[in-house]
Amino acid sequence: MTAIIAARNLVRAYRLPGEGLLGRRRRLVAVDDVSLELDEGKTLGIVGESGSGKSTLARLLVGLERPDRGTIAFDGATISNLPERALRPYRRAMQMVFQDPFGSLDPRMRVIDSVAEPLDIALPGLDRDAREARVAATLAEVGLGTSALRRYPHQFSGGQRQRIAIARALITGPRLLVADEPVSALDVSIQAQILNLLVDLKLARGLSIIFISHNLGVIRYLSDHVAVMLRGRIVETGPTERVFGAPEHPYTRALIAAMPVLER
């Protein structure tokens, strides 16, 4: 089976202000020789503490940033070296859901226009009625009715805004969804609703998902496979139950040992 997405030896570094030893420019290596792959219809959970490089890796995978070294292949085709114009068809197939539902939606745009924006780029010839019907159908998939179409983001709760953001990601019919900490900014009671929504969407649409989180409980609930990141590197990867049941790396063992235990 060809992996829907495969990364090989990805490196991404940023220059820091000031000079280091011997007058050399200081660099922060956010992603350091990372390789991973995901089979179609599966969920890969990427877990690690803040600053481990998870979000940078997510942006590299969907083409929002380019790697300094390494390659990314989507459905067997190398895309990491494509010019922007040639990358556009792949953007329809790969979409991202960001952490902050408050910041990921333009407060000046009505929901119908915000959700339809990627669609307008992908299918610019779609007529007005077909556009509205597609937006309404996608909002219904995430649990929102047609009354949401002409309202603004500030008129919704945090959980509802994240549903809108998910609808925006789904509108072009992607095969891969990359979700970067999509529930961490939400109340605990709402988090479970969004997680269950993602599970339902995965089954209904046959989605492949890369889910990024610092919460091991969430990762274990959602993921078929897990990759553990530490200081820009993947230090352990494998099937979810194997990683949680018999972790091999000391960092993985420390993360699991620190998981909260609910008292009865």
Side-chain angles (χ1 to χ4, degrees):
M1 179 185 294
T2 301
I4 188 169
I5 193 163
R8 296 287 178 263
N9 307 113
L10 293 184
V11 176
R12 182 71 171 104
Y14 302 96
R15 289 183 177 180
L16 298 176
E19 294 184 350
L21 296 175
L22 304 177
R24 294 176 180 173
R25 293 294 299 269
R26 296 192 301 157
R27 297 168 73 243
L28 170 66
V29 181
V31 173
D32 188 4
D33 196 30
V34 166
S35 297
L36 59 81
E37 63 180 45
L38 174 65
D39 288 337
E40 191 153 16
K42 299 296 185 179
T43 298
L44 171 66
I46 301 177
V47 66
E49 296 174 304
S50 179
S52 61
K54 307 184 303 295
S55 293
T56 301
L57 177 58
R59 295 175 67 85
L60 291 173
L61 293 174
V62 299
L64 294 177
E65 294 191 33
R66 298 297 180 102
D68 299 319
R69 292 200 303 274
T71 61
I72 300 167
F74 184 83
D75 211 15
T78 300
I79 63 172
S80 46
N81 57 0
L82 292 178
E84 184 63 30
R85 189 182 188 93
L87 189 60
R88 287 176 187 170
Y90 293 99
R91 292 196 187 282
R92 290 182 58 181
M94 299 183 295
Q95 290 291 317
M96 189 163 175
V97 179
F98 296 93
Q99 175 179 355
D100 181 12
F102 304 96
S104 61
L105 299 171
D106 189 332
R108 300 165 298 178
M109 294 178 68
R110 299 178 305 170
V111 167
I112 184 173
D113 298 316
S114 188
V115 173
E117 191 173 28
L119 188 64
D120 294 340
I121 297 170
L123 297 173
L126 205 62
D127 67 54
R128 182 175 177 178
D129 290 342
R131 176 182 185 264
E132 180 169 334
R134 187 152 173 175
V135 172
T138 308
L139 286 173
E141 276 191 273
V142 301
L144 295 173
T146 55
S147 62
L149 288 169
R150 287 168 179 81
R151 295 163 65 190
Y152 290 86
H154 74 270
Q155 297 175 285
F156 296 89
S157 68
Q160 289 172 324
R161 290 182 200 180
Q162 196 60 291
R163 290 175 186 269
I164 294 167
I166 292 170
R168 177 184 164 93
L170 293 174
I171 194 70
T172 59
R175 295 168 57 199
L176 173 66
L177 199 65
V178 178
D180 184 11
E181 298 271 13
V183 299
S184 62
L186 304 177
D187 292 340
V188 174
S189 60
I190 305 301
Q191 289 183 15
Q193 297 176 21
I194 299 300
L195 294 175
N196 288 330
L197 172 63
L198 290 172
V199 171
D200 292 343
L201 290 169
K202 174 186 173 181
L203 295 174
R205 285 181 169 243
L207 282 172
S208 307
I209 299 176
I210 294 176
F211 191 94
I212 294 170
S213 180
H214 65 276
N215 187 321
L216 272 76
V218 168
I219 290 290
R220 187 171 193 174
Y221 174 70
L222 281 180
S223 306
D224 301 296
H225 283 73
V226 177
V228 182
M229 286 194 75
L230 172 65
R231 292 193 289 271
R233 286 180 171 266
I234 290 180
V235 296
E236 183 164 358
T237 186
T240 301
E241 289 311 308
R242 200 281 299 159
V243 171
F244 279 87
E248 297 173 354
H249 195 277
Y251 178 67
T252 309
R253 292 198 292 269
L255 286 177
I256 293 172
M259 288 178 65
V261 177
L262 296 178
E263 295 184 2
R264 294 183 178 179

